[in-house]
Amino acid sequence: RDIVLRGYRDVAQLHASIKVERGGKLLIERKEGPIVVNEKEVQSARLELDDVVKVGSAKFLYGYFG
């Protein structure tokens, strides 16, 4: 599934991807532009519940929603 972030500045069409692994979800940068997790710029990060993720000018909370 895709997460579409329309209307946000500095978000590339394929800015990042999330890879599902045994240890959880891994966020991986795919294009130019920063990815920030919990106020730290990263190229990749293992996501944990309640992480604050910023992609370009879009900012959201990572979690599980049923």
Side-chain angles (χ1 to χ4, degrees):
R1 304 267 166 155
D2 292 335
I3 299 171
V4 180
L5 301 173
R6 287 194 181 105
Y8 291 95
R9 293 179 326 253
D10 306 323
V11 177
Q13 186 172 358
L14 181 57
H15 200 108
S17 62
I18 297 176
K19 183 177 180 182
V20 178
E21 297 184 329
R22 250 186 203 169
K25 314 297 188 296
L26 185 65
L27 178 67
I28 304 167
E29 180 181 334
R30 295 288 183 206
K31 292 285 183 183
E32 290 182 30
I35 294 176
V36 178
V37 177
N38 299 325
E39 299 188 28
K40 180 179 177 187
E41 191 169 325
V42 298
Q43 290 183 338
S44 67
R46 187 159 311 282
L47 294 174
E48 303 290 336
L49 284 176
D50 298 327
D51 279 347
V52 177
V53 179
K54 187 174 179 195
V55 178
S57 63
K59 191 173 188 180
F60 55 93
L61 181 68
Y62 175 76
Y64 301 123
F65 303 98

